[in-house]
Amino acid sequence: MTVFHPQSLLRTTSQRLGQLQERKDSQGKLARRDIAAYLSQGHIALARAKAATVIQEDVMSDLLEELEMLVGAVGSRVEELEGGRGIGLGLWEDVNGHPNEGWDEEMRTGK
């Protein structure tokens, strides 16, 4: 039987996301050099196509960074739960986007 360790899985996931983001950033730097070389050689169409790809990769890198931060936030909440501290209001705010509104009502009724 496989034992599920959410904290270690989340930590590993966060590390892998960080590594992937670093790799994308490194590839972006190389692509920018290629763009500069294309422009200096007068290959405008190639530079334009490469620039479009770089823009997409930059967006992907930003999303990976955001995802890494969110996985870290989930990891800290799991740590709170495993520590027996219960669900703090921070989790309530993260999930619902507003502090304390409806907390008592929803906890009482389950709605």
Side-chain angles (χ1 to χ4, degrees):
M1 181 166 111
T2 303
V3 178
F4 180 66
H5 298 286
Q7 192 62 19
S8 62
L9 289 174
L10 289 168
R11 190 174 23 253
T12 301
T13 300
S14 181
Q15 289 171 350
R16 288 183 181 169
L17 287 168
Q19 291 170 350
L20 185 56
Q21 181 197 359
E22 287 175 11
R23 188 177 327 135
K24 293 260 182 219
D25 289 345
S26 177
Q27 290 171 347
K29 287 178 185 177
L30 293 174
R32 284 176 178 79
R33 288 185 194 138
D34 290 345
I35 292 169
Y38 290 149
L39 289 173
S40 68
Q41 296 168 1
H43 300 294
I44 305 301
L46 287 174
R48 188 171 287 152
K50 192 80 159 184
T53 302
V54 168
I55 291 169
Q56 289 176 341
E57 294 298 321
D58 282 349
V59 169
M60 180 64 74
S61 180
D62 291 345
L63 290 173
L64 288 170
E65 181 179 7
E66 185 74 23
L67 187 56
E68 181 183 3
M69 290 187 311
L70 291 172
V71 168
V74 169
S76 67
R77 300 301 185 213
V78 168
E79 189 176 315
E80 284 180 14
L81 292 173
E82 286 181 343
R85 291 179 268 169
I87 299 176
L89 290 179
L91 179 58
W92 182 262
E93 292 172 7
D94 289 348
V95 170
N96 294 300
H98 50 80
N100 249 353
E101 286 182 24
W103 174 263
D104 295 329
E105 181 66 24
E106 289 189 31
M107 290 303 289
R108 192 169 35 81
T109 63
K111 297 180 184 177

